[in-house]
Amino acid sequence: MSGKRGNGEGSIYPRGNGFAAYTWVTTPTGKRARKYVYGKTRAEVHDKWIKLHTAAKAGPVATSSPTLDQYLAYWITDVVERNLKPLTAATYETAVRLYIVPFIGAKRVDKLTVRDVREWLNKLADTCQCCVQRKDEARPQERRRCCALGKCCHKTLSQRSVGDARTVLRSALTYAMTEEMIARNVAQLVKLPKPRSRKPVPWSVEEASRFLESARAARDPLYAAYVLILVLGLRKGEVLGLSWSDVTFDRHELHIRKQLQRVRRRLLHSETKTEASEAVLPLPDICEAALHIREKRRDAHKLAARELWTESDLVFTTRYGTPVEPRNFNRRFAFRCEQAGVRLIRVHDTRHTCGSLLAALDVHPRVAMQILRHTQIAVTMEVYTHVPSEETRKALRKLGVTLNGCHNEISGDEKRVSVRSGPEA
């Protein structure tokens, strides 16, 4: 052997107080470039040079690495926003902007270590978000009450929120691995305790019946929406995004195709949460009667609003035809809970009461399985284990009969008065 280096193998040479070496590599873009390594001794640099040379033979090697701040900005814009749903993309962007970049954004992607991630998570869990985001400072002078006055409120993130921030970073680094920028995902190597899930305590059938009866008696403009979320288990966005073209009265069916969400100050009509959520559901009598009432009251609102009416195909609108704000729906729901004298729960938790209500309405388990969108009848029957009292069954049947009898009896006086009850939808 001659002992000479082959063409393209690079060189080791003195540099300052140490040594340096380089190897010609192929970058992820397909170009040929030099990649340098540095160290205090020649032996140290030689070991790095050998590893670099091996990596260059195995595949593309990046010659430069952006900071985490720079890479996450690219990842959010070119990857997340183009491939994920708007609300998911907005959630990722919020986590990056508030919880990742302020703490470790200056770190280089290829230099990020497991220890860096662990220290970041510990600091994130201990940091008052009111202080770091200056929430109290953003309030008017007379309304400041904590951090801006030197009285830290210690508003730290929950264990679940810290885990969600780690999940976002892990997803970003996984994509960096596919782009061959890094060799391993350090965020994936950090283990976090699994947060205990909060089990919702949904309404009993008696509470749900009392809630619906209160809304019907008060002629609540969102009464039909309450019926749909309780009897059919629809999500809030699915109800607010429901169009009249999705309701087929002659076939007694309801098509779930879209949902309405507010994302980054915009109301968006987007796809349903999952493919299984997009379905054709049978309409029980109580739902069909409630929708008939809603249709006639919509016509009354349109007549009263005249030129102020905004035409749309949405089932649930304000008295001027504009979409119902999701937050206003939450406020309206809370107001109705107070008026009905039932426990305040999340709107989403009403889905857990759906199965019991279907049983109380004597809906066949196979039909309930289709409504609940279960894949196995055993799951549906497990939901049906809560058997309501006979008094509750009679009350719900009476409610359905009353609705069927009254949806054609909306008087002219009611049209003029509209259906005001509580805060504006």
Side-chain angles (χ1 to χ4, degrees):
M1 294 180 62
S2 64
K4 292 184 178 181
R5 293 189 301 274
N7 188 26
E9 287 187 353
S11 175
I12 300 177
Y13 56 90
R15 180 180 181 274
N17 294 327
F19 290 83
Y22 70 87
T23 295
W24 285 93
V25 300
T26 302
T27 66
T29 60
K31 296 181 179 180
R32 293 281 290 173
R34 290 182 179 183
K35 174 74 173 179
Y36 290 84
V37 291
Y38 306 97
K40 293 184 178 180
T41 65
R42 195 180 193 286
E44 178 185 353
V45 172
H46 183 266
D47 291 340
K48 292 181 178 180
W49 179 80
I50 292 294
K51 293 179 181 179
L52 178 60
H53 193 63
T54 303
K57 285 185 176 181
V61 177
T63 56
S64 62
S65 178
T67 63
L68 195 57
D69 184 3
Q70 295 168 336
Y71 179 74
L72 289 175
Y74 149 76
W75 178 68
I76 289 291
T77 303
D78 287 16
V79 181
V80 173
E81 292 184 350
R82 290 180 177 272
N83 296 283
L84 301 183
K85 293 182 178 179
L87 186 59
T88 304
T91 302
Y92 276 35
E93 187 275 333
T94 300
V96 167
R97 175 168 45 86
L98 298 181
Y99 307 140
I100 300 178
V101 169
F103 295 88
I104 54 174
K107 297 276 186 181
R108 272 179 47 174
V109 175
D110 61 338
K111 297 295 183 181
L112 197 64
T113 65
V114 174
R115 184 171 183 176
D116 291 333
V117 176
R118 168 56 63 191
E119 291 177 350
W120 161 62
L121 290 173
N122 291 340
K123 188 174 181 180
L124 184 63
D126 296 336
T127 300
C128 173
Q129 294 301 311
C130 183
C131 289
V132 72
Q133 296 180 34
R134 299 182 176 180
K135 294 181 178 180
D136 200 35
E137 290 184 17
R139 299 186 180 107
Q141 188 75 31
E142 64 276 6
R143 293 181 58 191
R144 294 178 180 177
R145 58 177 181 265
C146 52
C147 299
L149 304 177
K151 302 176 182 178
C152 182
C153 58
H154 301 289
K155 191 174 183 179
T156 57
L157 292 178
S158 66
Q159 190 178 33
R160 180 175 295 278
S161 295
V162 173
D164 290 343
R166 194 281 299 262
T167 299
V168 173
L169 178 62
R170 183 180 62 193
S171 298
L173 295 182
T174 297
Y175 194 80
M177 288 180 63
T178 64
E179 292 190 326
E180 298 178 316
M181 295 180 61
I182 54 176
R184 61 174 185 164
N185 189 335
V186 293
Q188 196 167 6
L189 301 176
V190 178
K191 303 301 179 183
L192 287 177
K194 187 177 181 180
R196 182 174 296 181
S197 59
R198 182 183 70 87
K199 294 183 179 179
V201 182
W203 283 336
S204 64
V205 177
E206 287 76 11
E207 288 176 303
S209 178
R210 196 187 325 156
F211 176 86
L212 289 179
E213 182 60 39
S214 171
R216 186 195 66 82
R219 295 172 179 169
D220 193 309
L222 291 176
Y223 168 70
Y226 304 147
V227 172
L228 293 179
I229 64 176
L230 279 165
V231 178
L232 295 183
L234 299 190
R235 299 177 178 88
K236 176 178 60 179
E238 293 170 348
V239 168
L240 298 182
L242 192 66
S243 300
W244 286 112
S245 58
D246 299 327
V247 183
T248 310
F249 286 119
D250 56 346
R251 291 202 300 267
H252 312 288
E253 291 178 346
L254 188 71
H255 295 250
I256 307 301
R257 295 188 178 99
K258 296 288 185 179
Q259 61 178 339
L260 185 71
Q261 294 178 319
R262 178 163 286 281
V263 181
R264 294 174 180 170
R265 301 182 180 180
R266 290 190 303 158
L267 277 176
L268 299 179
H269 238 114
S270 58
E271 295 178 340
T272 55
K273 184 176 181 181
T274 63
E275 289 186 12
S277 299
E278 189 171 336
V280 180
L281 304 181
L283 269 179
D285 291 342
I286 187 174
C287 298
E288 190 167 334
L291 285 171
H292 276 301
I293 292 176
R294 174 61 199 164
E295 186 177 29
K296 290 187 174 294
R297 287 176 177 168
R298 186 275 313 267
D299 294 339
H301 284 160
K302 183 176 181 179
L303 185 63
R306 297 184 180 180
E307 68 276 0
L308 297 178
W309 179 261
T310 301
E311 191 61 49
S312 73
D313 192 38
L314 292 176
V315 174
F316 299 103
T317 64
T318 66
R319 67 186 60 185
Y320 298 110
T322 56
V324 176
E325 285 283 346
R327 285 189 177 182
N328 285 350
F329 187 91
N330 290 339
R331 296 186 185 103
R332 184 92 185 176
F333 181 83
F335 171 80
R336 182 51 51 199
C337 289
E338 181 182 354
Q339 295 297 305
V342 298
R343 291 180 295 115
L344 176 62
I345 62 174
R346 298 183 309 163
V347 174
H348 189 76
D349 291 342
T350 57
R351 285 171 56 85
H352 297 274
T353 308
C354 174
S356 300
L357 273 174
L358 292 173
L361 291 167
D362 294 328
V363 175
H364 192 276
R366 284 289 178 184
V367 179
M369 175 183 173
Q370 180 184 354
I371 292 174
L372 293 170
R373 297 167 245 181
H374 291 157
T375 56
Q376 296 181 348
I377 189 65
V379 178
T380 307
M381 295 307 298
E382 186 176 338
V383 176
Y384 265 53
T385 54
H386 173 68
V387 180
S389 65
E390 186 59 31
E391 289 76 12
T392 302
R393 287 177 179 270
K394 290 180 180 178
L396 282 171
R397 291 195 199 102
K398 181 181 177 182
L399 180 61
V401 171
T402 303
L403 288 173
N404 278 317
C406 78
H407 78 261
N408 287 320
E409 299 177 3
I410 299 179
S411 65
D413 290 339
E414 183 179 359
K415 289 182 180 181
R416 286 192 294 272
V417 174
S418 188
V419 284
R420 298 184 183 181
S421 173
E424 172 63 36

